[in-house]
Amino acid sequence: MGAEGKPIAVRKCGTCGGGREDSSLCGLARSGLQSDKLKRTHKVYEVGQNIYLEGDNSDGVYCLKAGLIAIRKTDVNGNSAVVRLVQPGEAFGHRSFLANEKHAGTAEVLVKSKLCFIPKASLDNLLAESPDVAVRFTRRVARDLREIEELYLLTTTQPVRKRLAHLLLGLRTRYANEDGETDETVLELPLSRQELAAAIGTRPETIARTIKKLEEDKLAFFKGRIVTIPSTALLQEDFEADY
Protein backbone atom coordinates (compact mmCIF):
# COMPACT_ATOMS: atom_id res chain seq x y z
CA MET A 1 0.00 0.00 0.00
CA GLY A 2 1.16 3.55 -0.56
CA ALA A 3 2.37 5.88 2.14
CA GLU A 4 -0.21 8.63 1.85
CA GLY A 5 0.33 11.58 4.13
CA LYS A 6 1.42 15.14 4.51
CA PRO A 7 3.91 16.40 1.88
CA ILE A 8 7.38 17.23 3.16
CA ALA A 9 9.22 20.29 1.87
CA VAL A 10 12.60 19.04 0.70
CA ARG A 11 15.24 21.69 1.15
CA LYS A 12 17.94 19.88 3.07
CA CYS A 13 17.93 16.15 3.58
CA GLY A 14 19.59 14.52 6.56
CA THR A 15 17.64 16.77 8.94
CA CYS A 16 14.90 14.21 9.52
CA GLY A 17 16.84 12.39 12.21
CA GLY A 18 17.80 9.45 10.05
CA GLY A 19 21.45 10.31 10.42
CA ARG A 20 22.67 8.98 7.07
CA GLU A 21 23.05 11.93 4.71
CA ASP A 22 24.38 9.69 1.93
CA SER A 23 21.29 7.49 1.65
CA SER A 24 19.84 7.05 -1.83
CA LEU A 25 16.86 9.33 -1.17
CA CYS A 26 18.88 11.98 0.65
CA GLY A 27 21.19 12.04 -2.38
CA LEU A 28 18.27 13.20 -4.52
CA ALA A 29 17.60 16.18 -2.27
CA ARG A 30 21.28 17.12 -2.02
CA SER A 31 21.65 17.22 -5.79
CA GLY A 32 20.15 20.70 -5.94
CA LEU A 33 16.56 19.81 -6.74
CA GLN A 34 13.79 22.23 -5.86
CA SER A 35 11.45 20.97 -3.17
CA ASP A 36 8.42 20.81 -5.48
CA LYS A 37 10.29 18.37 -7.77
CA LEU A 38 10.64 15.76 -5.05
CA LYS A 39 7.07 14.94 -4.08
CA ARG A 40 7.69 13.10 -0.84
CA THR A 41 5.12 12.23 1.77
CA HIS A 42 5.51 10.85 5.25
CA LYS A 43 3.50 8.46 7.35
CA VAL A 44 3.73 6.86 10.77
CA TYR A 45 3.27 3.08 11.11
CA GLU A 46 2.54 1.20 14.32
CA VAL A 47 4.23 -2.01 15.49
CA GLY A 48 3.00 -5.03 13.54
CA GLN A 49 1.78 -3.13 10.49
CA ASN A 50 2.99 -4.12 7.03
CA ILE A 51 4.19 -1.38 4.69
CA TYR A 52 3.96 -3.74 1.74
CA LEU A 53 3.59 -7.49 1.27
CA GLU A 54 5.70 -10.00 -0.61
CA GLY A 55 4.32 -10.09 -4.15
CA ASP A 56 2.86 -6.56 -4.07
CA ASN A 57 3.61 -4.23 -6.96
CA SER A 58 6.29 -1.63 -6.28
CA ASP A 59 4.59 1.75 -5.89
CA GLY A 60 7.65 3.78 -4.90
CA VAL A 61 10.72 3.99 -2.72
CA TYR A 62 10.87 4.38 1.06
CA CYS A 63 13.35 5.83 3.53
CA LEU A 64 13.12 5.13 7.24
CA LYS A 65 13.28 8.27 9.37
CA ALA A 66 12.73 6.62 12.76
CA GLY A 67 11.94 3.12 14.01
CA LEU A 68 12.91 -0.33 12.74
CA ILE A 69 11.65 -2.36 9.77
CA ALA A 70 12.11 -6.09 9.11
CA ILE A 71 12.15 -7.36 5.55
CA ARG A 72 10.78 -10.91 5.63
CA LYS A 73 10.76 -13.59 2.97
CA THR A 74 8.71 -16.78 2.92
CA ASP A 75 10.10 -20.10 1.68
CA VAL A 76 8.23 -22.80 -0.23
CA ASN A 77 7.13 -24.39 3.05
CA GLY A 78 5.55 -21.18 4.28
CA ASN A 79 8.27 -20.39 6.83
CA SER A 80 9.02 -16.69 7.29
CA ALA A 81 12.55 -15.41 7.92
CA VAL A 82 13.99 -11.93 8.49
CA VAL A 83 16.46 -11.25 5.69
CA ARG A 84 17.21 -7.61 6.47
CA LEU A 85 16.73 -5.07 9.23
CA VAL A 86 16.19 -1.52 7.99
CA GLN A 87 17.44 1.12 10.41
CA PRO A 88 16.87 4.92 10.39
CA GLY A 89 18.42 6.68 7.41
CA GLU A 90 18.28 3.60 5.19
CA ALA A 91 16.20 3.28 2.02
CA PHE A 92 14.22 0.20 1.06
CA GLY A 93 11.99 -0.88 -1.80
CA HIS A 94 14.44 0.64 -4.29
CA ARG A 95 15.59 -2.65 -5.82
CA SER A 96 12.03 -3.59 -6.79
CA PHE A 97 11.49 -0.08 -8.14
CA LEU A 98 14.60 -0.13 -10.34
CA ALA A 99 13.98 -3.70 -11.55
CA ASN A 100 10.27 -2.94 -12.14
CA GLU A 101 9.46 -6.11 -10.22
CA LYS A 102 7.07 -7.08 -7.46
CA HIS A 103 8.40 -6.87 -3.91
CA ALA A 104 10.42 -9.96 -3.04
CA GLY A 105 9.69 -9.63 0.67
CA THR A 106 7.29 -8.17 3.22
CA ALA A 107 8.20 -4.97 5.08
CA GLU A 108 6.98 -5.29 8.67
CA VAL A 109 7.22 -2.65 11.39
CA LEU A 110 9.10 -3.86 14.49
CA VAL A 111 9.37 -0.49 16.25
CA LYS A 112 6.92 2.39 15.66
CA SER A 113 8.25 3.94 12.48
CA LYS A 114 8.11 7.14 10.49
CA LEU A 115 8.84 6.92 6.77
CA CYS A 116 9.56 9.15 3.82
CA PHE A 117 7.99 7.91 0.59
CA ILE A 118 8.45 8.94 -3.05
CA PRO A 119 5.71 7.61 -5.37
CA LYS A 120 6.87 5.62 -8.40
CA ALA A 121 5.42 8.02 -10.98
CA SER A 122 7.08 11.02 -9.37
CA LEU A 123 10.43 9.27 -9.11
CA ASP A 124 10.22 7.97 -12.70
CA ASN A 125 9.62 11.49 -14.01
CA LEU A 126 12.35 12.97 -11.84
CA LEU A 127 15.01 10.48 -12.94
CA ALA A 128 13.99 10.83 -16.60
CA GLU A 129 14.25 14.63 -16.47
CA SER A 130 17.54 14.71 -14.56
CA PRO A 131 20.15 12.22 -15.85
CA ASP A 132 22.76 13.43 -13.36
CA VAL A 133 20.35 12.74 -10.50
CA ALA A 134 19.62 9.29 -11.95
CA VAL A 135 23.34 8.49 -11.97
CA ARG A 136 23.74 9.59 -8.34
CA PHE A 137 20.70 7.60 -7.29
CA THR A 138 21.79 4.38 -9.02
CA ARG A 139 25.32 4.69 -7.62
CA ARG A 140 23.98 5.05 -4.10
CA VAL A 141 21.64 2.10 -4.62
CA ALA A 142 24.61 0.07 -5.86
CA ARG A 143 26.45 0.88 -2.63
CA ASP A 144 23.36 -0.14 -0.63
CA LEU A 145 23.32 -3.49 -2.43
CA ARG A 146 27.04 -3.96 -1.80
CA GLU A 147 26.45 -3.47 1.93
CA ILE A 148 23.69 -6.09 1.79
CA GLU A 149 26.08 -8.48 0.02
CA GLU A 150 28.71 -7.88 2.70
CA LEU A 151 26.14 -8.61 5.41
CA TYR A 152 25.15 -11.80 3.57
CA LEU A 153 28.82 -12.81 3.46
CA LEU A 154 29.07 -12.22 7.21
CA THR A 155 26.02 -14.35 7.95
CA THR A 156 27.18 -17.25 5.77
CA THR A 157 30.89 -17.41 6.56
CA GLN A 158 31.40 -16.14 10.11
CA PRO A 159 30.71 -17.93 13.42
CA VAL A 160 27.33 -17.31 15.02
CA ARG A 161 29.07 -15.50 17.89
CA LYS A 162 30.44 -12.89 15.47
CA ARG A 163 27.09 -12.53 13.73
CA LEU A 164 25.28 -11.94 17.02
CA ALA A 165 27.90 -9.46 18.21
CA HIS A 166 27.64 -7.59 14.90
CA LEU A 167 23.86 -7.35 15.23
CA LEU A 168 24.02 -6.16 18.86
CA LEU A 169 26.60 -3.51 18.02
CA GLY A 170 24.48 -2.31 15.11
CA LEU A 171 21.28 -2.09 17.16
CA ARG A 172 23.16 -0.35 19.95
CA THR A 173 23.71 2.74 17.78
CA ARG A 174 19.94 3.28 17.50
CA TYR A 175 18.16 1.64 20.40
CA ALA A 176 20.50 1.69 23.40
CA ASN A 177 20.26 3.62 26.64
CA GLU A 178 23.71 4.93 27.59
CA ASP A 179 24.60 7.22 30.44
CA GLY A 180 27.72 8.62 28.77
CA GLU A 181 29.88 8.07 31.83
CA THR A 182 30.59 4.37 31.37
CA ASP A 183 30.99 1.98 28.44
CA GLU A 184 27.93 0.01 29.53
CA THR A 185 24.99 -0.27 27.15
CA VAL A 186 21.45 -1.43 27.81
CA LEU A 187 19.17 -2.08 24.86
CA GLU A 188 15.79 -3.65 24.26
CA LEU A 189 15.82 -6.11 21.38
CA PRO A 190 13.01 -5.52 18.87
CA LEU A 191 13.20 -9.22 17.92
CA SER A 192 12.21 -12.45 19.61
CA ARG A 193 14.84 -15.18 20.03
CA GLN A 194 13.42 -16.99 17.00
CA GLU A 195 13.48 -13.81 14.91
CA LEU A 196 16.99 -13.06 16.16
CA ALA A 197 18.12 -16.47 14.96
CA ALA A 198 16.50 -15.96 11.56
CA ALA A 199 18.06 -12.50 11.20
CA ILE A 200 21.58 -13.92 11.50
CA GLY A 201 20.94 -17.15 9.66
CA THR A 202 21.00 -19.75 12.42
CA ARG A 203 18.73 -21.87 14.62
CA PRO A 204 17.14 -20.81 17.95
CA GLU A 205 19.02 -23.54 19.87
CA THR A 206 22.32 -22.24 18.46
CA ILE A 207 21.41 -18.71 19.53
CA ALA A 208 20.68 -20.03 23.04
CA ARG A 209 24.12 -21.65 23.28
CA THR A 210 25.82 -18.53 21.92
CA ILE A 211 24.03 -16.28 24.40
CA LYS A 212 25.08 -18.57 27.25
CA LYS A 213 28.71 -18.36 26.12
CA LEU A 214 28.60 -14.54 25.85
CA GLU A 215 27.21 -14.40 29.38
CA GLU A 216 29.92 -16.76 30.66
CA ASP A 217 32.53 -14.46 29.08
CA LYS A 218 30.77 -11.42 30.65
CA LEU A 219 30.38 -9.73 27.28
CA ALA A 220 26.57 -9.50 27.27
CA PHE A 221 23.73 -10.47 29.59
CA PHE A 222 20.23 -11.28 28.36
CA LYS A 223 17.01 -11.00 30.38
CA GLY A 224 14.05 -11.45 28.08
CA ARG A 225 14.54 -8.85 25.38
CA ILE A 226 16.72 -6.62 27.57
CA VAL A 227 20.43 -6.93 26.78
CA THR A 228 23.12 -5.42 29.00
CA ILE A 229 26.56 -5.01 27.43
CA PRO A 230 29.06 -4.17 30.22
CA SER A 231 31.63 -2.86 27.74
CA THR A 232 30.88 -2.15 24.09
CA ALA A 233 34.62 -1.82 23.50
CA LEU A 234 35.22 -5.38 24.70
CA LEU A 235 32.33 -6.69 22.60
CA GLN A 236 33.79 -4.88 19.58
CA GLU A 237 37.19 -6.44 20.27
CA ASP A 238 35.59 -9.88 20.48
CA PHE A 239 33.81 -9.29 17.16
CA GLU A 240 37.09 -8.28 15.48
CA ALA A 241 39.15 -11.10 17.03
CA ASP A 242 40.43 -13.98 14.92
CA TYR A 243 39.14 -17.31 16.21
Side-chain angles (χ1 to χ4, degrees):
M1 69 183 161
E4 300 174 357
K6 178 182 177 183
I8 298 174
V10 181
R11 293 184 175 84
K12 182 178 179 183
C13 226
T15 60
C16 68
R20 283 185 49 164
E21 296 186 5
D22 63 341
S23 77
S24 49
L25 297 194
C26 291
L28 294 178
R30 290 204 325 280
S31 61
L33 297 172
Q34 297 178 0
S35 61
D36 60 354
K37 292 256 185 173
L38 196 57
K39 299 185 184 301
R40 297 196 303 178
T41 59
H42 76 256
K43 186 173 182 179
V44 174
Y45 288 83
E46 300 295 332
V47 175
Q49 282 190 277
N50 293 321
I51 299 163
Y52 55 76
L53 299 175
E54 187 172 346
D56 281 354
N57 291 322
S58 172
D59 57 0
V61 179
Y62 305 80
C63 188
L64 184 61
K65 298 177 67 175
L68 184 68
I69 304 294
I71 307 298
R72 296 181 179 276
K73 293 192 70 171
T74 304
D75 64 20
V76 294
N77 296 317
N79 299 313
S80 174
V82 177
V83 296
R84 181 189 172 198
L85 291 175
V86 182
Q87 299 198 49
E90 296 180 352
F92 61 105
H94 44 8
R95 192 207 63 80
S96 300
F97 162 75
L98 287 174
N100 196 28
E101 296 177 347
K102 296 181 184 296
H103 288 296
T106 295
E108 178 189 346
V109 177
L110 297 182
V111 174
K112 184 176 179 179
S113 298
K114 187 173 184 179
L115 308 177
C116 284
F117 173 75
I118 303 180
K120 185 178 187 298
S122 175
L123 194 51
D124 276 334
N125 292 335
L126 179 60
L127 297 181
E129 293 173 1
S130 308
D132 58 326
V133 174
V135 169
R136 292 187 188 201
F137 179 72
T138 52
R139 284 177 177 170
R140 178 59 246 186
V141 170
R143 288 196 293 271
D144 289 344
L145 294 176
R146 184 202 66 209
E147 291 171 4
I148 293 172
E149 289 174 353
E150 291 173 350
L151 180 59
Y152 175 77
L153 182 65
L154 174 70
T155 58
T156 55
T157 63
Q158 296 299 314
V160 172
R161 180 176 174 125
K162 280 184 178 288
R163 300 181 219 169
L164 181 55
H166 180 267
L167 180 60
L168 293 177
L169 290 167
L171 292 175
R172 164 197 169 249
T173 63
R174 300 293 185 185
Y175 305 103
N177 294 319
E178 300 173 325
D179 60 19
E181 297 181 359
T182 69
D183 195 26
E184 180 179 283
T185 294
V186 179
L187 64 89
E188 182 176 358
L189 291 175
L191 303 169
S192 67
R193 293 286 176 92
Q194 186 169 357
E195 291 170 331
L196 196 62
I200 62 175
T202 190
R203 301 172 66 85
E205 53 266 31
T206 305
I207 278 284
R209 290 195 296 269
T210 305
I211 286 174
K212 182 178 180 181
K213 184 59 178 173
L214 286 177
E215 291 181 332
E216 289 174 352
D217 293 339
K218 296 181 171 51
L219 290 173
F221 297 94
F222 295 72
K223 186 175 182 180
R225 293 198 181 195
I226 304 300
V227 182
T228 301
I229 303 171
S231 171
T232 54
L234 288 179
L235 185 61
Q236 181 70 42
E237 287 179 12
D238 189 75
F239 169 70
E240 295 173 353
D242 293 327
Y243 57 80

